[in-house]
């Protein structure tokens, strides 16, 4: 399962060299996850907020390969990666739209946390339903 979303690079995201500051790629990953959740609803932030279950980042990897600059369009490819357990895993590729250059790759792992702040060992019901609905 994959979502592709486009985000214009803003001046506030640039570093002193007029390139996207490396930390903003993490924000672009978040933008990709939000767009993914809207395209494939049922395991998105809305359902988590309703159930009280959260999924904070446990692990994140970022590799910067080429720069993005102001007025570039970042094309974010967000792909769900199935791994067993009460977790969400995604991989990302961010391209510069104008020439198709791959600018950044990365991955995230999120762990499900119950309303009391404890890590879930079993997959929450909404996640099981979402996987079933999407043939996973």
């Amino acid at each position: 399962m994959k979502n592709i979303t486009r985000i214009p690079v803003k001046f506030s995201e640039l570093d002193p060299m007029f390139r996207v500051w490396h930390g903003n790629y993490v924000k672009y990953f978040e933008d990709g996850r939000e767009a993914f959740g809207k395209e494939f609803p049922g395991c998105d932030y809305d359902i988590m907020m309703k159930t009280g279950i959260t999924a904070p980042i446990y692990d994140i990897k970022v590799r910067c390969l080429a720069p993005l600059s102001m007025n570039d369009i970042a094309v974010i490819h967000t792909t769900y990666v199935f791994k067993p357990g009460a977790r969400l895993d995604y991989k990302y590729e961010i391209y510069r739209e104008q020439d198709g250059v791959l600018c950044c790759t990365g991955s995230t792992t999120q762990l499900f946390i119950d309303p009391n702040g404890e890590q879930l060992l079993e997959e929450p019901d909404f996640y099981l339903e979402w996987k079933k609905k999407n043939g996973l």
Side-chain angles (χ1 to χ4, degrees):
M1 300 172 65
K2 181 180 192 175
N3 170 271
I4 299 174
T5 193
R6 289 165 174 74
I7 305 289
V9 173
K10 296 176 276 316
F11 177 76
S12 62
E13 298 167 341
L14 304 181
D15 64 16
M17 297 174 281
F18 299 105
R19 311 291 183 154
V20 167
W21 176 65
H22 63 275
N24 281 320
Y25 288 103
V26 173
K27 180 189 168 303
Y28 294 160
F29 292 175
E30 180 75 26
D31 292 336
R33 282 194 306 278
E34 283 190 49
F36 184 94
K38 288 178 181 164
E39 183 175 349
F40 303 102
C43 188
D44 51 69
Y45 293 123
D46 286 340
I47 191 77
M48 288 184 216
M49 289 172 58
K50 290 175 186 168
T51 63
I53 293 173
T54 59
I57 295 290
Y58 168 73
D59 187 46
I60 189 163
K61 292 180 177 59
V62 180
R63 176 167 283 163
C64 300
L65 304 170
L68 285 167
S69 300
M70 194 165 103
N71 298 323
D72 283 343
I73 303 295
V75 181
I76 306 162
H77 294 234
T78 304
T79 305
Y80 170 78
V81 178
F82 172 76
K83 293 193 179 175
R87 59 190 282 163
L88 290 168
D89 291 86
Y90 295 95
K91 72 174 188 170
Y92 310 90
E93 295 174 331
I94 301 176
Y95 295 88
R96 190 169 48 224
E97 185 174 65
Q98 69 192 44
D99 56 11
V101 168
L102 179 61
C103 296
C104 181
T105 62
S107 63
T108 57
T109 299
Q110 297 169 260
L111 301 179
F112 288 115
I113 306 296
D114 73 15
N116 297 318
E118 300 293 324
Q119 182 179 343
L120 293 175
L121 301 178
E122 301 291 326
E123 298 168 322
D125 290 339
F126 69 83
Y127 183 51
L128 292 169
E129 291 170 24
W130 179 80
K131 288 194 315 183
K132 183 178 178 181
K133 174 181 149 188
N134 289 288
L136 302 170

